[in-house]
Amino acid sequence: MGRIAEEKQCQFILACGDSFESNQVDRKTVARAIEAFKEVTVPVYLLPGNHDPLNAASVYCSSTFVEKKPAHVHIIEDTTPVQVGEGFELVGAPWLSKRPNGNPIVDLLNALPPAGSIKRICAGHGIIDIFTPDKEAENVIAVSKLEAAISEGKFHFIALGDRHSLTKVGSGDRIWYSGTPESTDFCEDHSGFCQIVEMDGDDVTTEEVKIGKWRFIEELVDLNTKDDVEALRKKLEDIPNRELAVVKLELKGSLTLSLHGVFQSHLLAARDVLAGSVINEDNLLVIPNDTDFTDLGFSGFADATVKRLRDKIDQGGNEGAVARDAFMLFLRLSKGSA
Ligand SMILES: [Mn+2]
């Protein structure tokens, strides 16, 4: 973000809360954040959110942060307007506790007169009413109030934090969640961006820049044939930077025992390099067919074992399921030794 801010000649960087996961983060995490801030060449404004509220135990009051913080990094401690360049001011509504009475932005919206000739930017944090069923909950922000503040000329732009996906709020183009710079979960539909906001006279333009490296990939996969298994292998292999990818597969369809074995070995190989995986096989049927038991090239006791396992599988029930797992393991081990 620092590099982009420099490139695009941004006047400052604003992070609207939850820069730290909690006030109890490791000292090392704080020290490393400060190392990163040192490389940033523009002023940085950090708004305390519900994860990192500005209370007595705040990470922003920790000795590591206070002693090492570079001068160009500023914590928005109260609702005092800060001048951020000629004709612009920034006003934030910091969270002073994890569960304040009402969202801090509400008092700010009520207290401020119209901005007049100055361009005023607001920094707030929390969930908005259109994204929660619990609209009356204490910290929920009513979008109608934000839109009213814009139309009354109190603010020219409202930057929000909390939501991980980059999201435009309301009917205009002046209220936004910039989202988190990294993706952190499957449910996020547009995370991993920073947003560049340009204010020129009365015009506001926004631009999203992808900066996140992590990916959360969720797929429903129908597995029935050899081609399906091969396509899934290729799909898993073609994911770029797999060490930064987490994959969730919802599997359905039906496979023979031997194809399921092939699929399992592809999965094992992928799991070695993926950052994480969640595989749901509840709706994937594994059905033995004749070719599962013939052409295996076994003889002697191995062949006799296959026959005994097959009888058990055909009988079904719990023992059949155990026999099926045993047979698949047997296939894998035999391939390994070959
Ligand atoms: Mn939050």
Side-chain angles (χ1 to χ4, degrees):
M1 286 167 73
R3 277 193 292 274
I4 292 165
E6 192 174 356
E7 243 173 65
K8 302 273 182 178
Q9 297 179 314
C10 298
Q11 280 177 297
F12 62 96
I13 291 175
L14 170 64
C16 289
D18 298 350
S19 296
F20 290 95
E21 170 67 16
S22 96
N23 275 335
Q24 279 79 46
V25 285
D26 200 49
R27 211 179 66 221
K28 203 184 246 183
T29 304
V30 179
R32 288 180 180 183
I34 286 174
E35 284 304 294
F37 283 136
K38 280 184 191 164
E39 291 179 35
V40 177
T41 55
V42 303
V44 177
Y45 292 91
L46 302 176
L47 181 80
N50 62 312
H51 279 267
D52 51 0
L54 193 64
N55 55 19
S58 174
V59 60
Y60 302 115
C61 303
S62 69
S63 57
T64 313
F65 193 86
V66 173
E67 284 162 23
K68 297 188 174 163
K69 177 185 82 67
H72 66 276
V73 175
H74 310 279
I75 308 304
I76 301 175
E77 295 178 348
D78 51 38
T79 53
T80 310
V82 182
Q83 199 181 341
V84 282
E86 194 67 40
F88 289 90
E89 69 180 24
L90 172 65
V91 190
W95 285 52
L96 305 179
S97 77
K98 214 167 171 58
R99 284 178 194 80
N101 296 323
N103 192 296
I105 203 172
V106 175
D107 286 342
L108 180 64
L109 297 179
N110 291 335
L112 281 178
S117 61
I118 203 150
K119 300 289 173 209
R120 193 186 282 151
I121 300 151
C122 173
H125 187 90
I127 193 164
I128 51 173
D129 52 3
I130 55 169
F131 288 135
T132 172
D134 193 6
K135 301 188 189 314
E136 301 305 316
E138 222 166 17
N139 298 319
V140 173
I141 307 169
V143 172
S144 59
K145 288 195 176 150
L146 300 179
E147 293 200 287
I150 295 276
S151 61
E152 288 161 18
K154 291 182 175 182
F155 294 109
H156 298 88
F157 192 87
I158 300 178
L160 297 172
D162 188 55
R163 186 176 166 77
H164 290 202
S165 295
L166 176 68
T167 312
K168 187 169 89 71
V169 174
S171 50
D173 199 29
R174 295 173 182 266
I175 311 171
W176 285 84
Y177 283 101
S178 59
T180 46
E182 273 296 354
S183 301
T184 65
D185 207 348
F186 293 103
C187 56
E188 299 164 10
D189 57 19
H190 204 59
S191 53
F193 294 89
C194 68
Q195 185 182 39
I196 298 168
V197 180
E198 190 169 344
M199 298 175 73
D200 182 9
D202 279 330
D203 296 333
V204 171
T205 49
T206 59
E207 180 193 343
E208 60 180 51
V209 182
K210 182 80 186 172
I211 53 171
K213 296 198 171 94
W214 281 79
R215 303 203 308 147
F216 288 74
I217 303 160
E218 195 170 7
E219 288 217 39
L220 182 70
V221 184
D222 211 344
L223 284 182
N224 294 292
T225 64
K226 199 176 163 188
D227 287 348
D228 292 343
V229 171
E230 173 56 19
L232 180 59
R233 181 198 67 76
K234 194 165 163 14
K235 187 176 271 181
L236 290 171
E237 204 164 287
D238 288 349
I239 297 169
N241 300 320
R242 285 196 287 175
E243 69 282 3
L244 298 178
V246 184
V247 173
K248 187 192 269 183
L249 297 178
E250 232 8 272
L251 302 172
K252 61 173 192 142
S254 65
L255 290 178
T256 64
L257 276 172
S258 52
L259 266 182
H260 188 258
V262 174
F263 155 70
Q264 287 288 330
S265 62
H266 293 335
L267 200 57
L268 272 178
R271 275 183 156 152
D272 282 343
V273 282
L274 285 168
S277 60
V278 183
I279 314 294
N280 184 1
E281 288 192 45
D282 289 354
N283 296 314
L284 181 68
L285 291 172
V286 182
I287 301 166
N289 74 353
D290 279 345
T291 54
D292 283 329
F293 304 99
T294 52
D295 309 328
L296 292 172
F298 294 141
S299 59
F301 77 88
D303 194 40
T305 303
V306 169
K307 288 198 173 86
R308 281 174 56 201
L309 287 173
R310 180 178 190 173
D311 287 343
K312 293 261 185 213
I313 292 168
D314 287 345
Q315 283 162 27
N318 277 346
E319 249 184 84
V322 174
R324 198 187 67 192
D325 289 345
F327 180 71
M328 290 197 288
L329 179 63
F330 187 77
L331 284 183
R332 277 216 296 279
L333 292 174
S334 66
K335 271 177 201 139
S337 65

